Each structure stands twice: as structure tokens, then as C-alpha cells.
Amino acid sequence: SGFPTTGASILTDIESHSHGALFWRSMTHWLGGMGIVLLALAILPLLGVGGMQLFRAEVPGPVAERLTPRIRETAKILWMVYMLLTALETAALMLAGMSLFDAVCHSFATMATGGFSNHNRSVGGYGNPAVDWIIIVFMFLAGANFTLHYLALKGKWRVYIKDEEFRFYGVIIMISTAMIVAVLIPLNYYPHWSEAIRPALFQVVSIITTTGFGTDDYLLWPPLAHALLLVLMGVGGCAGSTGGGIKVMRALILLKHAKLELKKMLHPRGVFTLWFNNRAISNSLQTNVLGFFLLYMMVYVGGVLILTMGGRDLVTAVGATAATLGNIGPGLGLVGPASNYSELLDWEKWLLVVFMITGRLELFTVLVLFLPGAW
């Protein structure tokens, strides 16, 4: 749960553990966060599954804007950006009133989109709006493509606006937050809309970036909020981020592909090209995205079926599978934000451990091991 940056805890009293144990939990997140990104960068292109294309997310501009042709240099640059953002969040949290120890641990968990907190009630246990807003900002940055952060630090701030994936990422967050606020206010979950924005935005950003921090028990919210958060669990962060899930870029390519198929029905003899960031997406990358989505859904449905066949209720099975395969942490039902995975049976925990590793290594890296040709 630590190294795959899932944050699915089985500890019932987190605050009773030593600083050494709590620091180690957060450190596993921090190492696993950027470590997995670099592993994907190094391994996926060797497997021929479009890893490099997904990682760079086709940053707009000439080919010269690529980070570096060498993985070692790329790793150095990404780690520098990663450490800088971690240091900035630590300083901001300390200014907001957190102790140095808590600030470091939460920064590690935030930038890795992990979700381990030093408080039994997660971030909500601090009851500090400033802390919530700071973590929202850095979760959002951690869920974006780190290539964009690097280019922005070089003074190319317009890359955020130009990048199609980043824009879609922002739109998803805004629409989801607005929808949740719209269902919370009429039912009087919060006295005023201004008080509903922060918890709604926090949970939306926390779930889509697959961080898994919590300030409120969203299981007490209306069913529409549960459905939206479940969808966000599948979408995940941007390509080249520390987030898990299917990735925003793949989701956007799938939507564009579906739109293209509808156009082909209207114009059977037409020739259409799928564009992303003003560049044509190759057929091989489209096939890769479709294959990944199919495999992801097959593993997801298979996990739900296995858990329900073992006697687990459907809501918990759906939530636990989505939360571990997408590396989120808190799910639905018995594994919601106000509880943890301690009550699950041993075999269920082992199954979810497999999902955490498989989801973090982007399915292909794990499933290719089952092909005789890879032996």
C-alpha cells in the first residue's frame, strides 16, 4: 500500500504509533511516487506499449522541447522538480500551523498521491481550512504531468494552457465539484454553498489524483456524489504524474475515438484523423489505449466478481477494487473514508495487494509476464 502509493491502511489507531513508523509509511509513498513514474518511463517503451508517448503527453511545441534523450538525465530533472514541490508544500503547511514532522509526512504523501496521514481522521482531523487549501493545490499539481512543471519552471508557463490533457483535467475537477456542491446544498448537508465548496473540491481532487486524503466522510453524502467519485477513481491523474488510474490522457483519447466512430457512421467514406495537442495520434497508440482500457475493465470486473463470490457485499467489493486498482485508498462501503481495510478477510487483503501492484505498474508491465513469449 505504501510503495504503490495507494494509502489503504489497516492500522486502527494511527496516532498511537511512533514517529519512526509514521515517517517510514510516508517515505514509502515518496519513494514509490516518482520511482514508479521513472520505472514506467524506462520499461514501457521497451515493451512497445506507448509508455514514452503517454509520459510526455505530447507536450505542445517542437520536438526540441523534450526533456532529454537520456533516461538518467530525465530522472535527475524529474526528481529535482519533485523535491522542489515537496519542499514548498512542507514550508506552506508549517506556515499554516503544522509541525515540521507532520508537514514533511503529509508533503511526502501528497506529492506521491499516496494518502497516508498521521491523524486517525486523515487531514480532516486537523480542522484547519488553510491546511486543506494548501493540500488541494499540491494534490492538483501532483496529479498533473511533471513535464509541464519542468517547462513552467523554465519560464514556459503557457504549456499549462496549451496542453489538452491538463485543460481536460481541470474541467473534470470543476464540473465534478459543481455537481457535488449542487446536490449537497438542497439537502442541507452544509448551511451555505461557500462552506460546501472546500470539502467537495478537496474530495474531488483527492480522488481523481488518487491521493485518498479525506476531510469529510463522503459516504454520508447523496448517492450521486458516490457515483461521481467512483467514476473519478477510474479516471485517475494525468500521464506523467504520480497519480494512478486509467489516466486523463487515455480517457480523453477514448472519448475522441468514440466521437470519431460516430463521424464515420455519418460519413462512411470520410478519412478522419485523431488529434491530440495538435498532433496526430498514431493507430498503434490508439490501439494501445483501447487495449489498456479493456484490460483494466476486465481486471476490475473480475475483482468485483471474486470479492462478491467470497461473500463480500457489492458496494464494498466495487469500492475496494476500484480504490486498490486505481491506487486511491479509501473506497465505498466497509472501506470508506471513515474506516479502513482492517476488517477484510486475509484472502481479500492478499487479492487487493495484487490489485495495488498491478494497478500501479499500469497492468501491461505485470500482465505481460503471463505471456509465454516474455519467458
Side-chain angles (χ1 to χ4, degrees):
S1 180
F3 284 109
T5 69
T6 307
S9 181
I10 57 172
L11 302 180
T12 54
D13 186 8
I14 297 170
E15 296 170 32
S16 65
H17 289 77
S18 67
H19 277 198
L22 296 178
F23 182 77
W24 170 242
R25 291 171 83 234
S26 300
M27 178 62 82
T28 57
H29 272 345
W30 198 66
L31 294 174
M34 184 53 65
I36 295 297
V37 171
L38 297 179
L39 181 65
L41 176 65
I43 292 179
L44 293 183
L46 298 180
L47 298 177
V49 294
M52 190 59 180
Q53 296 96 314
L54 286 173
F55 175 78
R56 289 199 302 110
E58 301 296 342
V59 176
V63 180
E65 281 193 347
R66 294 171 62 178
L67 291 185
T68 171
R70 298 189 179 187
I71 292 178
R72 180 181 298 179
E73 293 300 317
T74 299
K76 187 186 298 183
I77 290 170
L78 292 175
W79 268 108
M80 287 174 64
V81 175
Y82 192 55
M83 289 188 290
L84 175 61
L85 290 174
T86 303
L88 289 174
E89 184 183 1
T90 300
L93 289 175
M94 289 179 65
L95 289 174
M98 262 195 187
S99 66
L100 173 61
F101 178 75
D102 281 1
V104 169
C105 289
H106 282 81
S107 297
F108 281 180
T110 303
M111 292 315 303
T113 62
F116 280 151
S117 175
N118 297 344
H119 203 287
N120 288 331
R121 292 178 53 211
S122 190
V123 177
Y126 293 93
N128 188 334
V131 167
D132 294 353
W133 284 112
I134 290 168
I135 291 179
I136 286 173
V137 170
F138 282 93
M139 283 193 299
F140 179 79
L141 293 175
N145 191 326
F146 272 73
T147 304
L148 301 180
H149 301 329
Y150 168 70
L151 294 174
L153 288 172
K154 290 182 65 178
K156 302 176 182 179
W157 293 95
R158 292 178 62 84
V159 292
Y160 291 117
I161 300 173
K162 292 180 179 179
D163 188 69
E164 204 170 342
E165 181 188 32
F166 185 82
R167 295 200 304 267
F168 189 52
Y169 172 58
V171 167
I172 292 174
I173 290 173
M174 287 190 291
I175 292 176
S176 300
T177 303
M179 291 179 68
I180 290 178
V181 170
V183 297
L184 289 176
I185 297 304
L187 298 175
N188 297 318
Y189 281 85
Y190 297 94
H192 193 264
W193 66 268
S194 61
E195 297 181 30
I197 289 178
R198 178 166 50 85
L201 179 61
F202 189 100
Q203 287 307 148
V204 166
V205 176
S206 178
I207 294 298
I208 193 173
T209 60
T210 71
T211 307
F213 278 142
T215 54
D216 292 54
D217 185 0
Y218 55 74
L219 292 185
L220 301 177
W221 293 354
L224 176 60
H226 302 167
L228 277 172
L229 293 176
L230 186 62
V231 171
L232 295 178
M233 287 181 187
V235 174
C238 297
S241 72
T242 57
I246 293 173
K247 297 293 190 298
V248 175
M249 181 185 180
R250 287 194 181 99
L252 184 55
I253 290 176
L254 286 169
L255 290 174
K256 288 192 171 197
H257 185 84
K259 182 180 179 181
L260 214 61
E261 291 301 315
L262 292 175
K263 283 186 177 181
K264 289 178 181 178
M265 293 187 68
L266 292 175
H267 308 283
R269 296 183 180 180
V271 178
F272 301 96
T273 302
L274 197 157
W275 295 88
F276 187 86
N277 280 341
N278 298 321
R279 295 183 180 181
I281 295 293
S282 65
N283 290 332
S284 61
L285 183 55
Q286 291 183 50
T287 303
N288 167 260
V289 170
L290 291 170
F292 181 90
F293 180 73
L294 177 62
L295 283 174
Y296 194 94
M297 295 308 299
M298 288 175 63
V299 173
Y300 173 72
V301 172
V304 173
L305 289 175
I306 293 172
L307 289 174
T308 51
M309 286 171 61
R312 187 59 60 192
D313 65 280
L314 181 61
V315 175
T316 300
V318 168
T321 305
T324 51
L325 190 60
N327 303 123
I328 292 105
L332 300 174
L334 192 64
V335 295
S339 53
N340 57 34
Y341 290 70
S342 60
E343 294 187 31
L344 297 184
L345 301 176
D346 286 347
W347 72 267
E348 292 173 318
K349 292 173 184 173
W350 279 110
L351 178 66
L352 298 180
V353 164
V354 173
F355 287 160
M356 285 189 281
I357 296 172
T358 304
R360 193 55 178 165
L361 294 177
E362 299 244 313
L363 294 182
F364 284 125
T365 315
V366 175
L367 298 182
V368 73
L369 298 177
F370 294 94
L371 295 178
W375 301 345

